[in-house]
Amino acid sequence: MNDFSVLIGGKAGFGIDKSATVIGAIFNQLSYRTYIYRDYPSLIRGGHSFSIVRLSQERIATHKEKIDFILALNQDTFNFHKNRANDNCVIIYDSDTVKIEGAPANAQLQGISVSKIIKEENANEIMLNSCIIGALVKASGVNWHVLDSIFRKEFTKETDLNLKVARRGFDEAKEFKKIEPLSQNILPLSTGNQAVGLGLIKGGLKAYISYPMTPTSPILHFLAEIALEHHLKVLHPESEIGVILMALGFSYMGEKVAVGTSGGGFCLMTEGLSFAGMSELPVVIVVGQRPGPSTGLPTYSAQTDLYFVLSAGQGEFTRFVVAPGDTEEAYFWSATAMNMSWEYQVPSIILTDKNLGEGLFNFDINSVSQIKEAVSLSWDGKSPYKRYQDTENGVSPLAFALAKDAVIKVNSYEHDEYGITTEDPKLTISMQNKRLRKEKYLAQELDKIETVKVYGNENSDVSLLCWGSNKGVCIEAANNLGLKVIQPLVLSPFPIKQFQKALERTKKLISIENNATAQLGRLIKTFGFNVDQNILKYDGRPFSLDELEELIKGTIR
C-alpha cells in the first residue's frame, strides 16, 4: 500500500490529537509522506474528536474521505465514521465499550479489550491510545521496534508504562496488511504554526507576543518552549489590545516583533494596526482564520478574513499581506514578512488558517529559497535626526531610543518629518504621499520573488485558482484531472504582472475557496480578472481530495 489513511477517534480531551501525531511519526519513520487533518469541538472534554492520518509515497497535503484503518476508542467513532471504510478497511475497536453493529460487509474487524488492559496495568485512561496504536502497528505489519523508538521520542513521561500498554495491544492483535518501508529519504514533520514560528526567527524575531486564540495559540506555546535557545522574549499579556500595543513598543525600541491572533483578536488590534501605519512602526501579525462572524466555529477553519485584513484600520496606509499554503511557504514567507516590515516600516500580515496552522506536514528545508535577514535603513548619526524624513521611496532612516543626539518621536497624529504634530494641509498631503509611496517600491521588490505559483498541467485551458491551505488539495486534484493550478501568495500589494502571466492560455478559471462569497475572486476582479466559476465550502471543514475532484468534474463536464 503506497497511499493509505488511518482515522483515530474518541472523546475530546483524551489525547486523540497527540495519538495522530504519534501514528504519523511511526509511518513517517518508514519514509511515508504524511499529512494529518485534525477535527475537534470547542470543548475541554467530551464531544467527538478525530484525526485522519494520510500516508503516501508522494508528497501530500490533504486527506481522503475513504479510510483504510479505523481506530475506534468509543462508540461515536464507529457510528460516525463506519461509512468512510474503504474496501477491506481494518476496524480496530475497544471491544469492552464499542458495539460494531452495522459494520461494512468488507471490513476486517479486530476487537481489543483496551479498557480491560488499561485497568489491569493500572494505567491512566489516556493510555487507551497507546494500546490501540500498538494494535494498529501489529495489524499493519510494522515491526515493534519502530513503535518503540517513536514512543521513546514522543512520550517523556511514563514512557515505560505507555510501551507496556502498547505491547499488550500489539500482542493481542493480528496482522491484516503489510505496510512495507519505502526507499526514500525521511522528511521531518512540522505543523504550519511551527513553520511560521521558525520562519519568524529566521527573519530576526526578538519578541513574540500573543493572547491565546485558536488556531494560532500553538505558535505561542512553540516559541515559549524554544525561547531560551533562540534568545526570544515570549509574552502573554492581558488582552489583544495589550498585545499589539506592547508589540509597537518593542518595535519603537528596535526589536523585531510579531504577534499572533485570530479574527476576533485582530478586531481588537485594528486601532493598533492603524497606529503602526501612521507611526511607521514595523510589526508582523499572524492571523489564523476560522469561521465567523464573531466566535463562529472557534476550532474549525475558514478563509473569511481576506477582505478584513486588506482594509482593517482607519485611514489609508501600505501593508504587506501574504497567505502561505504549506510548511515551506509558511517558513519562507514568515521570514520575508519580517524583512518587508523592517525594510519598508509597514505592518505585515500573515494569513493562515486552522488547516495550515494545526495540520501536520512534511517539511523539506532544502526546497526553501535562500533567506537573508534584511538590513534596515539606519540613521547616519550626523545630520539632524528626522524620524519621518521624506525620501524618494518613502522609507525614513531608523534610529532607536538611547541613540546619541537623536530625538525619536513617534506620533499617531499627523506630523512633520521630525514627528511634531501638524494640521497643515500641505504637510498632511506630503506625509500621506510619503507613506503611500512605499507600496510602489514594495511591489517592485516583490516582482523579484515568485509571488504567484503555477502547478499541474500548464498547457491546460482550465485553471484552478486557490490561496492558502487549499493549495495541497487543488494541486493533487489538478494532477489527477490534468488541470492547472494558480496560487497567488502575496495579496497586498497584489502581484498583477505575475498573475496575468500565470493566466496565459486559461479559458476557464475556477476559484476554490473556503468562504461563502469568493473573496479572492472578488479581489482579482478589482484588477480586471474574472473568475468563471466558484467552488465554495464554508462549513468549517476543508475539502477532501475525493470531494473536490467530484465538484471540479461537475463544473467542467
Side-chain angles (χ1 to χ4, degrees):
M1 297 178 74
N2 290 339
D3 191 326
F4 60 98
S5 298
V6 180
L7 184 150
I8 181 168
K11 290 188 289 186
F14 274 74
I16 298 303
D17 182 70
K18 175 68 175 177
S19 299
T21 300
V22 171
I23 292 169
I26 288 171
F27 289 103
N28 189 61
Q29 195 65 26
L30 303 179
S31 297
Y32 284 84
R33 303 300 182 237
T34 304
Y35 169 72
I36 298 179
Y37 165 65
R38 309 178 193 280
D39 192 304
Y40 59 93
S42 181
L43 296 169
I44 303 298
R45 286 186 179 273
H48 177 58
S49 174
F50 71 95
S51 293
I52 297 175
V53 186
R54 185 178 166 211
L55 297 312
S56 176
Q57 187 169 6
E58 307 295 332
R59 187 74 186 267
I60 49 173
T62 184
H63 69 285
K64 288 183 174 179
E65 285 297 319
K66 290 298 183 181
I67 304 297
D68 301 283
F69 295 90
I70 294 176
L71 311 185
L73 285 166
N74 66 359
Q75 192 65 47
D76 280 351
T77 303
F78 177 77
N79 292 344
F80 294 160
H81 302 290
K82 62 184 178 184
N83 291 333
R84 291 177 181 263
N86 223 338
D87 287 343
N88 298 316
C89 173
V90 177
I91 301 178
I92 305 173
Y93 59 97
D94 181 357
S95 57
D96 299 323
T97 60
V98 179
K99 296 179 180 178
I100 55 166
E101 295 171 358
N106 292 331
Q108 302 178 83
L109 305 176
Q110 174 68 76
I112 302 288
S113 296
V114 179
S115 297
K116 181 183 173 186
I117 291 172
I118 295 300
K119 191 173 181 180
E120 289 175 352
E121 299 295 341
N122 196 28
N124 191 300
E125 190 178 13
I126 203 167
M127 294 183 190
L128 291 165
N129 298 283
S130 296
C131 187
I132 209 160
I133 290 173
L136 168 68
V137 168
K138 179 68 170 292
S140 58
V142 176
N143 288 331
W144 168 258
H145 71 82
V146 178
L147 180 150
D148 185 279
S149 67
I150 295 299
F151 266 46
R152 293 187 188 281
K153 290 179 185 174
E154 295 287 339
F155 296 110
T156 55
K157 295 180 180 177
E158 299 188 284
T159 309
D160 290 340
L161 184 54
N162 270 294
L163 278 167
K164 191 174 183 182
V165 168
R167 186 74 204 198
R168 292 283 305 272
F170 183 90
D171 289 340
E172 289 208 10
K174 64 179 180 180
E175 182 176 321
F176 288 90
K177 304 181 181 185
K178 184 69 175 175
I179 306 297
E180 299 286 356
L182 299 176
S183 299
Q184 57 184 0
N185 62 328
I186 297 172
L187 288 177
L189 296 171
S190 169
T191 65
N193 280 328
Q194 290 170 333
V196 167
L198 293 173
L200 291 172
I201 292 171
K202 182 69 176 176
L205 182 75
K206 299 300 179 193
Y208 183 81
I209 309 167
S210 181
Y211 184 86
M213 198 167 185
T214 305
T216 56
S217 301
I219 302 176
L220 176 66
H221 303 152
F222 174 63
L223 291 177
E225 288 176 1
I226 61 174
L228 289 177
E229 180 184 352
H230 294 278
H231 309 291
L232 300 176
K233 302 175 184 72
V234 180
L235 301 167
H236 167 191
E238 76 286 357
S239 71
E240 284 88 353
I241 295 174
V243 166
I244 190 68
L245 295 181
M246 188 178 285
L248 297 182
F250 273 100
S251 180
Y252 170 72
M253 294 298 292
E255 297 274 282
K256 293 188 175 180
V257 62
V259 307
T261 188
S262 185
F266 187 65
C267 285
L268 297 171
M269 292 183 182
T270 53
E271 170 71 18
L273 175 73
S274 188
F275 190 115
M278 174 59 98
S279 58
E280 303 184 49
L281 287 168
V283 63
V284 176
I285 304 171
V286 185
V287 178
Q289 299 170 96
R290 64 193 207 188
S294 191
T295 305
L297 301 174
T299 60
Y300 289 89
S301 196
Q303 294 182 309
T304 52
D305 292 335
L306 173 56
Y307 262 78
F308 181 27
V309 303
L310 288 173
S311 58
Q314 68 272 38
E316 300 165 298
F317 55 94
T318 302
R319 68 195 73 192
F320 173 69
V321 179
V322 64
D326 57 25
T327 46
E328 288 85 1
E329 289 176 356
Y331 177 79
F332 176 83
W333 285 103
S334 295
T336 302
M338 186 67 77
N339 282 343
M340 294 302 168
S341 269
W342 281 83
E343 197 169 341
Y344 291 91
Q345 299 167 33
V346 297
S348 289
I349 298 168
I350 303 169
L351 264 181
T352 68
D353 57 43
K354 183 246 184 181
N355 295 329
L356 173 61
E358 297 187 358
L360 194 74
F361 310 77
N362 289 108
F363 180 28
D364 184 3
I365 189 68
N366 294 322
S367 69
V368 179
S369 300
Q370 188 176 9
I371 306 166
K372 290 184 179 178
E373 186 178 343
V375 178
S376 303
L377 179 64
S378 299
W379 176 53
D380 60 11
K382 299 175 182 175
S383 53
Y385 184 63
K386 297 178 181 178
R387 171 62 189 94
Y388 299 111
Q389 184 178 336
D390 199 351
T391 60
E392 181 180 349
N393 64 0
V395 178
S396 310
L398 283 170
F400 303 109
L402 305 182
K404 186 181 178 184
D405 297 329
V407 177
I408 305 156
K409 293 183 181 297
V410 169
N411 199 339
S412 68
Y413 214 105
E414 190 54 276
H415 45 259
D416 64 12
E417 289 184 287
Y418 290 95
I420 304 297
T421 296
T422 183
E423 294 180 344
D424 180 272
K426 288 185 178 177
L427 270 175
T428 297
I429 292 173
S430 173
M431 297 308 289
Q432 180 64 10
N433 287 342
K434 164 196 166 0
R435 291 188 292 270
L436 292 178
R437 200 156 57 238
K438 297 177 185 180
E439 181 168 327
K440 171 186 169 185
Y441 291 90
L442 174 58
Q444 287 177 356
E445 181 159 347
L446 289 167
D447 279 343
K448 303 171 188 171
I449 308 173
E450 188 178 25
T451 54
V452 180
K453 289 191 174 181
V454 175
Y455 300 93
N457 177 10
E458 296 192 22
N459 294 319
S460 172
D461 59 8
V462 177
S463 297
L464 307 180
L465 173 67
C466 67
W467 60 289
S469 64
N470 274 337
K471 171 187 175 179
V473 68
C474 284
I475 290 176
E476 195 166 350
N479 286 337
N480 292 341
L481 300 173
L483 309 179
K484 181 164 79 172
V485 175
I486 300 173
Q487 178 209 10
L489 280 145
V490 173
L491 301 169
S492 179
F494 192 76
I496 298 172
K497 290 180 184 175
Q498 290 194 34
F499 190 77
Q500 194 159 28
K501 182 171 177 52
L503 276 177
E504 287 178 356
R505 289 190 287 275
T506 297
K507 294 180 180 176
K508 182 169 186 174
L509 185 63
I510 304 170
S511 186
I512 316 290
E513 300 191 52
N514 289 127
N515 58 57
T517 59
Q519 294 197 16
L520 179 58
R522 285 191 287 140
L523 176 64
I524 66 169
K525 192 174 180 63
T526 64
F527 298 102
F529 306 108
N530 290 311
V531 167
D532 298 290
Q533 202 143 2
N534 293 304
I535 296 178
L536 307 176
K537 185 175 185 181
Y538 41 95
D539 61 359
R541 280 72 175 174
F543 291 102
S544 68
L545 178 61
D546 335 42
E547 174 189 28
L548 183 59
E549 283 185 3
E550 287 305 310
L551 290 169
I552 294 170
K553 288 175 185 173
T555 67
I556 59 177
R557 281 183 184 128

